[in-house]
Amino acid sequence: MKLLFLGDIVGRSGRKAVSDSLRAVRDALALDVVIANAENATGGIGLNSKGAKELLSMPLDVLTSGNHIWKHKDIFAFFQETTRLLRPANYPAGAPGSGLGIFQAKDGTPYAVLNLMGRTYMDAVDCPFQTADRLLAEIPEDVKVRVVDFHAEATSEKKAMGYYLDGRVSAVFGTHTHVQTNDPRILLKGTAALTDVGMCGPVDSIIGMEAERIVGRFLSRLPVRFEVAKGPARLEGALCEIDAATGRAVSIRPWQGG
């Protein structure tokens, strides 16, 4: 199975980049599955139902999210309309939606997607490690391909999740910090990991936002309204090949395009 996991889609710029490029990318790379984190796709923070519908109309198989998913209140009800949008599973019981989905690739191969969120410098949610244990116990044995979006701030926590799940999932992809890292690896028991897959958004920016505004905030320490930067956008993610029979990763590399 050839899988592309796209980093956080940022605002209209990111959505347009995905819309303009992804079909050609999917064909050129002969991709079986494309997953993207969409928690910043509406105005650079959060995801509303209109944005979710727009993304799900593109050649994207599954959308994951993170701590900003609750920004737009209409997304609460939208979780009832689709299983293709996930939210971090370790929010307390009662949160809308699900953090685990089981899907089928175009050739019929089943695969599971788990969405988890870190706790270091993040919201106080349930333990992502224990939540991962619970979710894995819910996946049927014949679903060998298991992909994790770990939406977390600290690189140490992201790496820890990779080692914790090594041999139990196919890949652990880090999201949230929007800066693509160059540490792709296949761990000893066969799990692929990348600390952060990057973002899909404006190239000339600071994590997708207007650079001048963010620099001004660092200088003044005063509240500043962030705005999605203008200009050309780029897609970033991780390209991974997985043995569908065993669920073990064959290869992984950071990917950029668009």
Side-chain angles (χ1 to χ4, degrees):
M1 178 185 287
K2 291 189 72 175
L3 180 148
L4 178 63
F5 191 102
L6 293 174
D8 303 43
I9 299 171
V10 181
R12 183 181 301 172
S13 175
R15 298 197 313 272
K16 186 176 187 303
V18 173
S19 177
D20 289 349
S21 304
L22 187 55
R23 192 169 300 280
V25 167
R26 187 159 192 159
D27 291 343
L29 297 177
L31 298 172
D32 298 299
V33 175
V34 182
I35 303 168
N37 187 293
E39 73 139 10
N40 293 303
T42 299
I45 181 169
L47 176 68
N48 62 16
S49 59
K50 180 181 177 181
K53 290 175 183 177
E54 178 184 344
L55 291 173
L56 289 172
S57 72
M58 300 178 194
L60 289 165
D61 297 294
V62 183
L63 300 177
T64 56
S65 62
N67 57 305
H68 294 312
I69 189 59
W70 315 116
K71 172 72 173 179
H72 302 278
K73 300 308 179 188
D74 64 331
I75 204 67
F76 284 56
F78 185 75
F79 276 109
Q80 303 300 316
E81 299 183 26
T82 182
T83 60
R84 294 168 58 204
L85 172 63
L86 301 178
R87 50 82 173 168
N90 51 321
Y91 273 101
S98 176
L100 169 65
I102 298 177
F103 310 94
Q104 282 192 338
K106 59 184 180 181
D107 66 354
T109 301
Y111 65 97
V113 182
L114 295 74
N115 197 173
L116 298 166
M117 192 168 82
R119 295 195 293 184
T120 305
Y121 311 124
M122 300 281 282
D123 295 339
V125 292
D126 296 341
C127 176
F129 297 89
Q130 293 178 351
T131 301
D133 291 336
R134 174 176 58 79
L135 293 179
L136 290 174
E138 297 176 7
I139 299 174
E141 182 63 29
D142 63 334
V143 181
K144 302 296 185 181
V145 178
R146 303 173 178 192
V147 177
V148 177
D149 175 348
F150 190 35
H151 196 77
E153 187 80 40
T155 54
S156 58
E157 191 177 16
K158 292 180 184 182
K159 285 180 174 289
M161 183 62 77
Y163 280 100
Y164 186 68
L165 296 180
D166 187 19
R168 296 194 284 160
V169 303
S170 307
V172 177
F173 300 118
T175 60
H176 180 64
T177 53
H178 294 202
V179 177
Q180 189 179 65
T181 57
N182 190 28
D183 63 336
R185 60 210 184 278
I186 297 178
L187 301 173
L188 292 177
K189 298 177 184 177
T191 294
L194 185 65
T195 299
D196 199 284
V197 298
M199 70 171 187
C200 299
V203 176
D204 187 14
S205 71
I206 297 176
I207 62 171
M209 301 297 152
E210 288 282 358
E212 183 177 351
R213 289 176 177 264
I214 294 188
V215 170
R217 180 175 177 177
F218 279 115
L219 290 171
S220 70
R221 306 309 303 168
L222 298 175
V224 174
R225 179 184 175 88
F226 291 171
E227 289 188 6
V228 178
K230 299 176 176 60
R234 176 172 63 205
L235 305 184
E236 295 180 340
L239 185 61
C240 187
E241 188 171 355
I242 299 166
D243 184 336
T246 65
R248 292 173 65 94
V250 176
S251 65
I252 181 173
R253 66 175 177 88
W255 178 88
Q256 296 182 351

